[in-house]
Amino acid sequence: MSVRITGLSRRFNGQAALDDVSLEIARGEFTALLGPSGSGKTTLLRVLAGLDFPDAGLVEIDGRDVGQVPARERRVGVVFQHYALFRHMSVAENVAFGLRVRPRATRPAAAEIDRRVRELLELVQIPELAGRFPDQCSGGQRQRIALARALAIEPLLLLLDEPFAALDAVVRKDVRRWVRGLHDRLGITTILVTHDQEEALELADRVAVLDRGRLAQFAPPATLLEAPATAFVAGFLGEASCIPARLSGGRLESPLPGLAAPPAWPDGALRLFLRPHEVAVEAGPGPGLVRMVHPSLGAGTRVVLELEGHVLEGVVPPGLPVPERGGPCGLRALAATAFHEDGSRARLA
Amino acid sequence: MEFDIAYLLRYLPSLLRGLALTVQASGIAILLSILVGLVGACIRVARVPVLSQLIVAYVEFIRNTPLLVQLFFVFFGLPALGLTLSLFWSGVLSLTLWAGAFQVENVRGGLAAIAPGLKEAARALGLNQAQYLRLVGLPLAVRVGLPSMLNTCVSVIKNSAYLSAIGVQELTGVAFDRIASDFRAFEMLAVLLAGYLSVVLSLSAAVRLLEHRLQAPFRR
């Protein structure tokens, strides 16, 4: 086990940023910490890096309790959101920095440091930038410099704090695939902090979803989408819309037709989560009010609509007429994930 | 009244000696005060117990009392405490203490302007506080604080004129002595202004060159 977190709590002025979080991450695994802002994901990253200290709980890296170990002795590489490069040093100096500042006894020889820096710059594919300064590099290049700098100390654990947030959309996709490829080659245990579900689901072997300081679910991406453990996870992932409903006398009372009541559930309030492809929209009279229409290739036309005050997204199957914006439309649920107020979950169809 | 060049030329050698002393006294005070500023700001930022509070008291004391009184205190007061310095070194010490307080604040401002993420990046890479300040904090802080540090240096040169009050024969001292004996104020005052202006302008030019070099990494 490479990283083990047990019962971790951290409060700021009485407010819990992390509340009894436990996770185990295998050596070499690529994990994402996913959650909205304020969910505690960055606090967790800072605690792992040794930049912040928990009020309770245990953090072990490679079997060693690092609770009292300061950041500089943890061998944790961090790529910060805004890269935090040293502007007064050249790219090569930035990358070499973590080695040069070591005490003499553990510091590699100058020639060895130079060799390592060249190697790392090759690895991140920017050898030609060695003599430049960070301000003279583009966003994507700075990100690679930050990565090379973090890798130079041969970290046991690599932490990436929203590393793609400052890149434009096209570069971002390229860079994140490249980062995943790099991880697969180097095999360093990596934790990515992000609020972007697409990023987390694409990159990570397993995703830890955080909800207001608590771990909501820690599972592979497919499991999160197919079997969300809580209503929060269901709502946060996969562009789901949420519609309230009721069970009374075994009958489902929902503004949305097409769903059968879950068998053997007690009466009470439900929340239905529907992904766009689970809501079929058709032109013509109906209870829906079309708010936006955005055409797409192949998969049908996406429609944002309003139903009894709730906003949801649906799809008009390919080939069928598309309703007009501002006009009415008919709709039907094909499937949904339901959460009962008692916490139990079921798939409805 | 006419501007008498011949009169001026007669006393030029002593005026130049005075100018040399002005440059010496302010030069030493500027260098020492920058040292005080760098060390003092680091102590404040690292929150070294006791020392940090002493720096705060020192800065407040200097900022809120007149330089002239500080100078008199060093020259006339310190001997009573058993520390007797020459005229020159009393002047240098006063200027250093005065400018040092301002440089502490200049450097501290520069350190405060550094993004907090940089310090965390340094910690994550294995630096301790002292290494961070020496290798990252101060190099960046000095770049940010350079204009205000230059201001303080310029003030040191101008304020070195106060040294004439305790009898140091720097530029102002020499000129005022001549005015007192010959009653020819116009030539001497003109020379004084020109003398200070030339020293300050040379310093500013030198600092601009330094700034240009220091800013090289930040130019695209």
Side-chain angles (χ1 to χ4, degrees):
Chain A
M1 200 53 55
S2 182
V3 178
R4 175 184 289 156
I5 295 163
T6 321
L8 202 65
S9 292
R10 176 76 173 110
R11 312 184 136 277
F12 294 110
N13 306 320
Q15 191 84 22
L18 289 176
D19 187 2
D20 193 23
V21 172
S22 300
L23 299 168
E24 287 189 8
I25 295 166
R27 183 188 299 261
E29 194 174 8
F30 197 123
T31 306
L33 301 178
L34 177 66
S37 53
S39 61
K41 56 192 192 302
T42 296
T43 305
L44 181 51
L45 175 126
R46 290 171 52 81
V47 167
L48 283 168
L51 298 170
D52 193 11
F53 291 86
D55 299 316
L58 202 63
V59 178
E60 290 161 275
I61 299 176
D62 263 3
R64 172 189 182 209
D65 174 8
V66 294
Q68 300 304 314
V69 180
R72 61 173 186 274
E73 287 162 25
R74 284 196 187 187
R75 285 191 51 205
V76 171
V78 189
V79 174
F80 292 88
Q81 185 170 2
H82 301 291
Y83 314 139
L85 296 173
F86 304 121
R87 299 171 64 206
H88 61 301
M89 296 181 200
S90 72
V91 169
E93 284 167 339
N94 265 281
V95 176
F97 198 55
L99 297 172
R100 287 220 175 109
V101 296
R102 283 199 187 157
R104 193 154 301 169
T106 56
R107 189 196 313 154
E112 166 66 12
I113 292 179
D114 287 347
R115 194 188 60 74
R116 287 253 283 274
V117 169
R118 267 199 309 279
E119 217 174 80
L120 282 161
L121 290 177
E122 294 279 350
L123 180 74
V124 300
Q125 301 167 352
I126 46 169
E128 71 282 3
L129 298 183
R132 286 223 219 146
F133 288 93
D135 283 27
Q136 300 159 348
C137 301
S138 72
Q141 291 169 335
R142 278 183 228 177
Q143 209 237 16
R144 285 163 194 249
I145 302 165
L147 196 56
R149 185 179 70 178
L151 290 172
I153 60 169
E154 296 184 314
L156 301 169
L157 175 64
L158 183 62
L159 304 177
L160 311 173
D161 185 8
E162 304 265 10
F164 313 112
L167 303 175
D168 66 64
V170 180
V171 178
R172 193 180 325 179
K173 268 205 164 131
D174 272 357
V175 170
R176 76 185 185 215
R177 276 167 202 167
W178 172 78
V179 164
R180 175 68 215 212
L182 198 63
H183 167 269
D184 294 344
R185 258 196 293 161
L186 301 178
I188 300 173
T189 313
T190 302
I191 299 176
L192 166 76
V193 162
T194 182
H195 65 272
D196 181 339
Q197 52 162 309
E198 194 189 324
E199 202 168 288
L201 297 178
E202 178 180 310
L203 278 175
D205 300 318
R206 281 195 294 168
V207 178
V209 182
L210 290 165
D211 172 18
R212 282 164 299 162
R214 301 190 70 98
L215 181 64
Q217 190 171 9
F218 184 33
T223 311
L224 291 177
L225 291 172
E226 285 156 18
T230 68
F232 173 80
V233 177
F236 189 64
L237 289 172
E239 304 177 283
S241 316
C242 177
I243 301 286
R246 276 202 79 74
L247 264 183
S248 65
R251 271 172 33 88
L252 180 66
E253 296 171 0
S254 148
L256 210 63
L259 295 172
W265 269 15
D267 285 357
L270 303 187
R271 275 188 287 173
L272 305 177
F273 291 92
L274 299 107
R275 306 252 156 76
H277 68 270
E278 293 168 339
V279 180
V281 179
E282 56 186 38
L289 173 65
V290 178
R291 283 277 175 224
M292 271 192 282
V293 177
H294 48 115
S296 61
L297 290 169
T301 305
R302 287 269 200 114
V303 177
V304 180
L305 53 89
E306 214 178 291
L307 176 70
E308 291 180 16
H310 308 292
V311 175
L312 66 166
E313 259 189 83
V315 174
V316 182
L320 292 183
V322 174
E324 267 178 49
R325 189 215 297 236
C329 67
L331 69 162
R332 192 164 48 87
L334 303 174
T337 303
F339 281 88
H340 194 271
E341 60 188 330
D342 69 12
S344 44
R345 170 175 56 90
R347 278 294 287 173
L348 309 184
Chain B
M1 188 167 131
E2 268 179 35
F3 194 89
D4 189 343
I5 297 282
Y7 170 73
L8 212 54
L9 285 177
R10 194 163 356 124
Y11 293 108
L12 195 60
S14 59
L15 284 168
L16 285 177
R17 274 198 299 279
L19 183 68
L21 207 60
T22 292
V23 170
Q24 258 177 48
S26 0
I28 298 172
I30 283 173
L31 292 180
L32 291 178
S33 70
I34 290 174
L35 201 66
V36 170
L38 295 176
V39 174
C42 286
I43 290 172
R44 288 264 345 246
V45 168
R47 302 212 179 93
V48 181
V50 186
L51 283 182
S52 179
Q53 284 81 350
L54 282 177
I55 300 281
V56 174
Y58 155 66
V59 170
E60 288 308 312
F61 180 79
I62 296 290
R63 276 207 300 201
N64 297 308
T65 54
L67 171 56
L68 190 61
V69 178
Q70 295 164 16
L71 177 64
F72 282 153
F73 183 81
V74 167
F75 186 61
F76 297 112
L78 285 189
L81 300 174
L83 180 67
T84 308
L85 293 170
S86 70
L87 276 174
F88 178 78
W89 287 108
S90 296
V92 169
L93 179 62
S94 300
L95 285 175
T96 302
L97 289 175
W98 177 82
F102 288 90
Q103 299 291 27
V104 168
E105 292 302 282
N106 294 337
V107 178
R108 201 166 67 88
L111 284 171
I114 297 172
L118 234 43
K119 187 171 188 181
E120 303 205 321
R123 277 168 71 195
L125 280 173
L127 277 77
N128 58 32
Q129 170 92 293
Q131 284 176 311
Y132 160 74
L133 285 169
R134 187 164 56 84
L135 301 170
V136 179
L138 288 181
L140 289 170
V142 166
R143 283 167 167 89
V144 175
L146 204 59
S148 50
M149 289 173 78
L150 172 63
N151 267 341
T152 303
C153 296
V154 166
S155 297
V156 170
I157 296 172
K158 293 187 294 185
N159 286 340
S160 70
Y162 280 123
L163 268 49
S164 62
I166 57 169
V168 178
Q169 285 297 299
E170 44 66 72
L171 187 57
T172 303
V174 173
F176 276 26
D177 278 1
R178 288 267 45 94
I179 294 171
S181 45
D182 304 338
F183 303 108
R184 301 199 60 117
F186 182 51
E187 287 85 351
M188 282 303 152
L189 290 174
V191 154
L192 264 187
L193 291 176
Y196 284 109
L197 199 60
S198 61
V199 176
V200 170
L201 288 180
S202 332
L203 176 72
S204 303
V207 171
R208 257 200 305 282
L209 271 175
L210 176 69
E211 193 172 10
H212 187 79
R213 284 198 52 177
L214 287 179
Q215 292 294 328
F218 303 162
R219 273 191 294 275
R220 281 152 202 271

